[in-house]
Amino acid sequence: MQNLSRAAHRSGRTITLVPTMGYLHEGHASLLREGRRRGDLLVLSIFVNPTQFGVGEDFEAYPRDLVRDRAVAESASVDVIFAPPAGEMYPASYQTYVDVERLTLPLCGANRPGHFRGVTTVVSKLFNIVQPDVALFGAKDYQQLAVIRRMVADLNMPVEVVGMPIVREDDGLALSSRNAYLSPEQRQAALCLSRSLRTAKGLYRAGERDVATLRDRVTAIIAAEPSTVADYIEFRNGDSLEEVGVADDRTLLALAVKIGTTRLIDNCLLGEE
Ligand code: PAF
């Protein structure tokens, strides 16, 4: 992969990378379409990264379907699929990690210790291997995108990071490979996430700025679904990820909710359309 990337750069071609863990859906397809537009060589990486899964999480169960992914990649005119075996990415001698500090402490970082260390490590490795000019990530993983932007700035990585909007089903459910775990009843219950975001945005648009009031409404919507348990319901500054008490346009509402054993995340900025 590195040789191929070097040759592409030598011949003056730009490289775009869409890093994924596979089991591609329309959200990934939207990244690939934008990636196709932004570079000459479009690389899709597919790697279920063991270092970003904690003990007892769904690494083994994470859905995988390389045959289907290849078909999605072909229809998005991907030039290269980079799908390395775990043993090549992390040989037995492996011992180097990349750690972003403050931004990884709250939200998913608090609930999934070590998760972002795994993400930033594998993304650094992918950047070194693929050498992209541009890399695209979805905004559903809002904190992941913020952490990757921080890492790229802090370590002077020569990559433009592009964040792409969340893609939703018609009924509001944010697309996620983990939606595959949901039963039809759980899928219905999962709509409480997008309903919460819509309600909070509506209240904000109507003039509500008190975060405690907004949080109470969201908590009630999620608690009304018997099969759900909220991991977090948080209102934070959309840039620093620090907690806020008074909402503004850049306030991030971030949710992580367990529906049965499936943990889903979703988010919005209160001021966004
Ligand atoms: O968002 C994902 O699919 C993963 O966290 C990423 C960025 C591909 C790193 O493994």
Coordinates of all heavy atoms in Angstrom, one line a residue, residues 77-137:
S77 N -16.8 3.6 -7.1 CA -15.5 3.8 -7.9 C -14.3 3.9 -7.0 O -13.4 4.8 -7.2 CB -15.6 5.0 -8.8 OG -16.8 5.0 -9.6
V78 N -14.2 3.1 -5.9 CA -13.0 3.1 -5.1 C -11.9 2.5 -5.9 O -12.1 1.5 -6.7 CB -13.3 2.2 -3.8 CG1 -12.0 1.8 -3.1 CG2 -14.3 3.0 -2.9
D79 N -10.7 3.0 -5.8 CA -9.5 2.5 -6.6 C -8.9 1.4 -5.8 O -8.4 0.4 -6.4 CB -8.5 3.6 -6.8 CG -9.1 4.7 -7.7 OD1 -9.5 4.4 -8.8 OD2 -9.1 5.9 -7.3
V80 N -8.8 1.5 -4.5 CA -8.0 0.5 -3.7 C -8.8 0.2 -2.4 O -9.2 1.2 -1.7 CB -6.6 1.1 -3.3 CG1 -5.8 0.0 -2.5 CG2 -5.8 1.5 -4.5
I81 N -8.9 -1.1 -2.1 CA -9.4 -1.4 -0.8 C -8.2 -1.9 0.0 O -7.5 -2.9 -0.5 CB -10.5 -2.6 -0.8 CG1 -11.7 -2.1 -1.6 CG2 -10.9 -3.0 0.6 CD1 -12.8 -3.2 -1.8
F82 N -7.9 -1.3 1.1 CA -6.8 -1.7 2.0 C -7.4 -2.4 3.2 O -8.1 -1.8 4.0 CB -6.0 -0.5 2.4 CG -4.9 -0.8 3.3 CD1 -3.9 -1.7 2.9 CD2 -4.8 -0.3 4.6 CE1 -2.8 -2.0 3.8 CE2 -3.8 -0.6 5.5 CZ -2.8 -1.5 5.0
A83 N -7.3 -3.7 3.2 CA -7.9 -4.5 4.3 C -6.9 -5.4 4.9 O -6.8 -6.6 4.6 CB -9.1 -5.3 3.8
P84 N -6.0 -4.9 5.8 CA -4.9 -5.6 6.3 C -5.3 -6.6 7.3 O -6.3 -6.4 8.1 CB -4.0 -4.6 6.9 CG -4.9 -3.5 7.3 CD -6.1 -3.5 6.3
P85 N -4.6 -7.8 7.5 CA -4.9 -8.7 8.6 C -4.4 -8.1 9.9 O -3.4 -7.3 9.9 CB -4.1 -9.9 8.2 CG -3.3 -9.6 7.0 CD -3.5 -8.2 6.6
A86 N -5.1 -8.4 11.0 CA -4.7 -7.8 12.3 C -3.3 -8.0 12.7 O -2.6 -7.2 13.2 CB -5.7 -8.3 13.4
G87 N -2.8 -9.2 12.3 CA -1.4 -9.6 12.7 C -0.4 -8.8 12.0 O 0.8 -8.6 12.5
E88 N -0.7 -8.2 10.9 CA 0.2 -7.3 10.2 C 0.2 -5.9 10.8 O 1.2 -5.2 10.8 CB -0.1 -7.2 8.7 CG 0.5 -8.3 7.9 CD 0.3 -8.2 6.4 OE1 0.1 -7.1 5.9 OE2 0.2 -9.2 5.8
M89 N -1.0 -5.5 11.2 CA -1.1 -4.1 11.8 C -0.5 -4.2 13.2 O 0.1 -3.2 13.7 CB -2.6 -3.7 11.9 CG -3.2 -3.4 10.5 SD -2.4 -1.9 9.7 CE -3.5 -0.6 10.3
Y90 N -0.7 -5.2 13.9 CA -0.3 -5.4 15.3 C 0.5 -6.7 15.5 O -0.1 -7.6 16.1 CB -1.4 -5.3 16.3 CG -2.2 -4.0 16.2 CD1 -3.5 -4.0 15.7 CD2 -1.7 -2.8 16.7 CE1 -4.2 -2.8 15.7 CE2 -2.4 -1.6 16.7 CZ -3.7 -1.6 16.1 OH -4.4 -0.5 16.1
P91 N 1.7 -6.8 15.0 CA 2.5 -8.0 15.3 C 2.8 -8.2 16.8 O 2.6 -7.2 17.5 CB 3.8 -7.8 14.5 CG 3.9 -6.3 14.3 CD 2.5 -5.7 14.3
A92 N 3.2 -9.3 17.1 CA 3.4 -9.6 18.6 C 4.4 -8.6 19.2 O 4.3 -8.3 20.4 CB 4.0 -11.0 18.7
S93 N 5.3 -8.0 18.4 CA 6.3 -7.1 19.0 C 5.7 -5.6 19.2 O 6.4 -4.7 19.6 CB 7.5 -7.0 18.0 OG 7.0 -6.7 16.7
Y94 N 4.4 -5.4 18.8 CA 3.9 -4.1 18.8 C 3.8 -3.4 20.1 O 3.4 -4.0 21.1 CB 2.5 -4.1 18.1 CG 2.0 -2.7 17.8 CD1 2.4 -2.2 16.5 CD2 1.3 -1.9 18.6 CE1 2.0 -0.9 16.2 CE2 1.0 -0.6 18.3 CZ 1.3 -0.1 17.1 OH 1.0 1.1 16.7
Q95 N 4.2 -2.1 20.2 CA 4.2 -1.5 21.6 C 4.1 0.1 21.5 O 4.5 0.7 22.5 CB 5.4 -1.9 22.4 CG 6.7 -1.9 21.7 CD 7.8 -2.5 22.5 OE1 8.1 -2.1 23.6 NE2 8.4 -3.5 21.8
T96 N 3.6 0.6 20.4 CA 3.6 2.1 20.3 C 2.1 2.6 20.1 O 1.4 2.0 19.3 CB 4.4 2.5 19.0 OG1 5.7 2.0 19.2 CG2 4.5 4.0 18.9
Y97 N 1.7 3.6 20.9 CA 0.4 4.1 20.9 C 0.4 5.6 20.8 O 1.3 6.3 21.3 CB -0.4 3.6 22.1 CG -0.6 2.1 22.1 CD1 0.4 1.3 22.6 CD2 -1.7 1.5 21.4 CE1 0.3 -0.1 22.5 CE2 -1.8 0.2 21.3 CZ -0.8 -0.7 21.9 OH -0.9 -2.0 21.8
V98 N -0.7 6.2 20.2 CA -0.9 7.6 20.1 C -2.1 8.0 21.1 O -3.1 7.4 21.0 CB -1.2 8.0 18.7 CG1 -1.5 9.5 18.6 CG2 -0.1 7.6 17.8
D99 N -1.8 9.0 21.9 CA -2.8 9.3 22.9 C -3.1 10.8 22.9 O -2.2 11.6 23.1 CB -2.2 9.0 24.3 CG -3.2 8.3 25.2 OD1 -4.4 8.4 25.0 OD2 -2.7 7.5 26.1
V100 N -4.4 11.2 22.6 CA -4.8 12.6 22.7 C -5.4 12.7 24.2 O -6.1 11.8 24.6 CB -5.9 12.9 21.7 CG1 -6.5 14.3 21.9 CG2 -5.3 12.8 20.3
E101 N -5.0 13.8 24.8 CA -5.3 13.9 26.3 C -6.8 14.4 26.6 O -7.7 13.6 26.5 CB -4.3 14.7 27.0 CG -2.9 13.9 26.9 CD -1.8 14.5 27.7 OE1 -1.9 15.7 28.1 OE2 -0.8 13.8 28.0
R102 N -6.9 15.7 26.9 CA -8.2 16.1 27.5 C -9.4 15.8 26.7 O -10.5 15.4 27.2 CB -8.1 17.6 27.7 CG -7.2 18.0 28.8 CD -7.3 19.5 29.1 NE -7.0 20.4 28.0 CZ -5.8 20.7 27.5 NH1 -4.7 20.1 28.1 NH2 -5.6 21.5 26.5
L103 N -9.4 15.9 25.4 CA -10.6 15.7 24.5 C -11.1 14.3 24.6 O -12.3 14.0 24.3 CB -10.3 16.0 23.1 CG -10.4 17.4 22.5 CD1 -10.1 17.4 21.0 CD2 -11.8 18.0 22.8
T104 N -10.3 13.3 25.1 CA -10.7 11.9 25.1 C -11.3 11.5 26.5 O -11.7 10.4 26.7 CB -9.6 11.0 24.7 OG1 -8.5 11.1 25.7 CG2 -9.0 11.2 23.4
L105 N -11.3 12.5 27.4 CA -11.7 12.1 28.8 C -13.2 12.0 28.9 O -13.7 11.0 29.6 CB -11.1 13.1 29.8 CG -9.6 13.1 29.9 CD1 -9.1 14.2 30.9 CD2 -9.0 11.8 30.3
P106 N -14.0 12.9 28.4 CA -15.4 12.8 28.6 C -16.1 11.8 27.6 O -15.5 11.2 26.9 CB -15.9 14.2 28.4 CG -15.0 14.8 27.4 CD -13.7 14.1 27.6
L107 N -17.5 11.8 27.7 CA -18.3 11.2 26.7 C -17.9 9.7 26.5 O -17.8 9.0 27.5 CB -18.4 12.0 25.4 CG -18.8 13.4 25.5 CD1 -18.6 14.2 24.2 CD2 -20.2 13.5 26.0
C108 N -17.6 9.3 25.3 CA -17.3 7.9 25.0 C -16.0 7.5 25.7 O -15.8 6.4 26.0 CB -17.2 7.6 23.5 SG -18.8 7.6 22.7
G109 N -15.1 8.5 25.9 CA -13.8 8.2 26.5 C -14.0 7.8 28.0 O -13.3 6.9 28.5
A110 N -15.0 8.4 28.7 CA -15.3 8.0 30.1 C -15.9 6.6 30.2 O -15.6 5.9 31.1 CB -16.2 9.0 30.7
N111 N -16.7 6.3 29.1 CA -17.4 5.0 29.2 C -16.6 3.9 28.6 O -16.9 2.7 28.8 CB -18.8 5.2 28.4 CG -19.8 5.9 29.2 OD1 -20.6 5.4 29.9 ND2 -19.6 7.3 29.2
R112 N -15.7 4.2 27.7 CA -14.9 3.2 27.0 C -13.4 3.5 27.1 O -12.8 3.9 26.2 CB -15.3 3.2 25.5 CG -16.8 3.0 25.2 CD -17.1 2.9 23.7 NE -16.5 1.7 23.1 CZ -16.5 1.5 21.8 NH1 -16.9 2.4 21.0 NH2 -15.9 0.4 21.3
P113 N -12.9 3.2 28.3 CA -11.4 3.5 28.6 C -10.5 2.9 27.5 O -10.7 1.7 27.2 CB -11.2 3.0 30.0 CG -12.4 2.4 30.5 CD -13.5 2.5 29.5
G114 N -9.6 3.6 27.0 CA -8.7 3.1 26.0 C -9.2 3.1 24.5 O -8.4 2.9 23.6
H115 N -10.5 3.4 24.4 CA -11.1 3.4 23.0 C -10.4 4.4 22.1 O -10.0 4.0 21.0 CB -12.6 3.7 23.1 CG -13.2 4.0 21.8 ND1 -13.4 3.0 20.8 CD2 -13.8 5.1 21.3 CE1 -14.0 3.6 19.8 NE2 -14.2 4.8 20.0
F116 N -10.3 5.6 22.5 CA -9.7 6.6 21.6 C -8.2 6.4 21.4 O -7.7 6.8 20.3 CB -10.0 8.0 22.1 CG -11.4 8.4 21.9 CD1 -12.3 8.7 23.0 CD2 -12.0 8.5 20.6 CE1 -13.6 9.0 22.7 CE2 -13.3 8.8 20.4 CZ -14.1 9.0 21.5
R117 N -7.5 5.9 22.4 CA -6.1 5.5 22.2 C -6.0 4.5 21.0 O -5.1 4.6 20.1 CB -5.6 4.9 23.5 CG -4.1 4.5 23.5 CD -3.9 3.9 24.8 NE -2.5 3.7 25.1 CZ -2.0 2.4 25.2 NH1 -2.8 1.4 25.0 NH2 -0.7 2.3 25.5
G118 N -6.9 3.6 20.9 CA -6.9 2.6 19.8 C -7.3 3.3 18.5 O -6.6 3.0 17.5
V119 N -8.2 4.2 18.6 CA -8.6 4.9 17.3 C -7.5 5.8 16.8 O -7.1 5.7 15.6 CB -9.9 5.8 17.6 CG1 -10.1 6.7 16.4 CG2 -11.1 5.0 17.9
T120 N -6.9 6.6 17.7 CA -5.8 7.5 17.2 C -4.6 6.7 16.7 O -3.9 7.1 15.8 CB -5.4 8.5 18.3 OG1 -5.3 7.9 19.5 CG2 -6.5 9.6 18.3
T121 N -4.3 5.6 17.4 CA -3.2 4.8 17.0 C -3.4 4.2 15.6 O -2.6 4.3 14.7 CB -3.0 3.6 18.0 OG1 -2.7 4.2 19.3 CG2 -1.8 2.7 17.6
V122 N -4.6 3.6 15.4 CA -4.8 3.0 14.1 C -4.9 4.0 13.0 O -4.5 3.8 11.9 CB -6.0 2.0 14.1 CG1 -7.4 2.7 13.9 CG2 -5.9 0.9 13.0
V123 N -5.5 5.2 13.3 CA -5.7 6.2 12.3 C -4.3 6.7 11.9 O -4.0 7.0 10.7 CB -6.7 7.3 12.7 CG1 -6.6 8.5 11.7 CG2 -8.1 6.8 12.7
S124 N -3.4 6.9 12.9 CA -2.0 7.3 12.6 C -1.3 6.3 11.7 O -0.6 6.6 10.7 CB -1.2 7.4 13.9 OG -1.8 8.3 14.8
K125 N -1.5 5.0 12.0 CA -0.9 4.0 11.2 C -1.5 4.0 9.8 O -0.7 3.9 8.8 CB -1.2 2.6 11.9 CG -0.3 2.3 13.1 CD -0.7 1.1 13.8 CE -0.4 -0.2 13.1 NZ 1.0 -0.5 12.9
L126 N -2.8 4.2 9.7 CA -3.4 4.2 8.3 C -2.9 5.4 7.6 O -2.6 5.3 6.4 CB -4.9 4.2 8.4 CG -5.6 2.9 9.0 CD1 -7.0 3.2 9.3 CD2 -5.4 1.8 7.9
F127 N -2.7 6.6 8.3 CA -2.2 7.7 7.6 C -0.7 7.5 7.1 O -0.4 7.9 6.0 CB -2.2 9.0 8.5 CG -3.6 9.6 8.7 CD1 -4.7 9.1 8.1 CD2 -3.7 10.7 9.5 CE1 -6.0 9.6 8.2 CE2 -5.0 11.3 9.7 CZ -6.1 10.8 9.0
N128 N 0.1 6.8 7.9 CA 1.4 6.6 7.5 C 1.5 5.6 6.4 O 2.4 5.6 5.5 CB 2.2 6.0 8.7 CG 2.6 7.1 9.7 OD1 2.8 8.3 9.3 ND2 2.7 6.8 11.0
I129 N 0.6 4.6 6.4 CA 0.6 3.6 5.3 C 0.1 4.1 4.0 O 0.7 4.0 2.9 CB -0.2 2.3 5.8 CG1 0.5 1.7 7.0 CG2 -0.3 1.3 4.6 CD1 -0.4 0.7 7.7
V130 N -1.1 4.8 4.1 CA -1.8 5.2 2.9 C -1.3 6.6 2.4 O -1.4 6.9 1.2 CB -3.3 5.2 3.1 CG1 -4.1 5.7 1.9 CG2 -3.8 3.8 3.5
Q131 N -0.8 7.4 3.3 CA -0.3 8.7 3.0 C -1.3 9.6 2.3 O -1.0 10.1 1.2 CB 1.0 8.6 2.2 CG 2.0 7.8 3.0 CD 3.4 7.7 2.3 OE1 3.6 8.4 1.3 NE2 4.2 6.9 2.8
P132 N -2.5 9.7 2.8 CA -3.6 10.5 2.1 C -3.3 12.0 2.2 O -2.7 12.5 3.2 CB -4.8 10.1 2.9 CG -4.3 9.8 4.3 CD -3.0 9.2 4.2
D133 N -3.8 12.7 1.2 CA -3.9 14.2 1.3 C -5.1 14.6 2.1 O -5.1 15.6 2.7 CB -3.9 14.7 -0.1 CG -2.7 14.4 -0.9 OD1 -1.7 15.0 -0.8 OD2 -2.7 13.4 -1.7
V134 N -6.2 13.8 1.9 CA -7.5 14.1 2.5 C -8.0 12.8 3.1 O -7.9 11.7 2.5 CB -8.5 14.6 1.4 CG1 -9.8 14.8 2.0 CG2 -8.0 15.8 0.7
A135 N -8.6 12.9 4.4 CA -9.2 11.8 5.0 C -10.6 12.2 5.4 O -10.8 13.3 6.0 CB -8.4 11.2 6.1
L136 N -11.6 11.3 5.2 CA -13.0 11.7 5.5 C -13.5 10.8 6.7 O -13.3 9.6 6.7 CB -13.9 11.5 4.3 CG -13.5 12.4 3.1 CD1 -12.7 11.7 2.1 CD2 -14.7 13.1 2.5
F137 N -14.3 11.5 7.6 CA -14.9 10.8 8.7 C -16.3 11.3 8.9 O -16.6 12.5 8.6 CB -14.1 11.1 10.0 CG -12.6 10.6 10.0 CD1 -11.6 11.4 9.4 CD2 -12.3 9.3 10.5 CE1 -10.3 11.0 9.4 CE2 -11.0 8.9 10.4 CZ -10.0 9.7 9.9

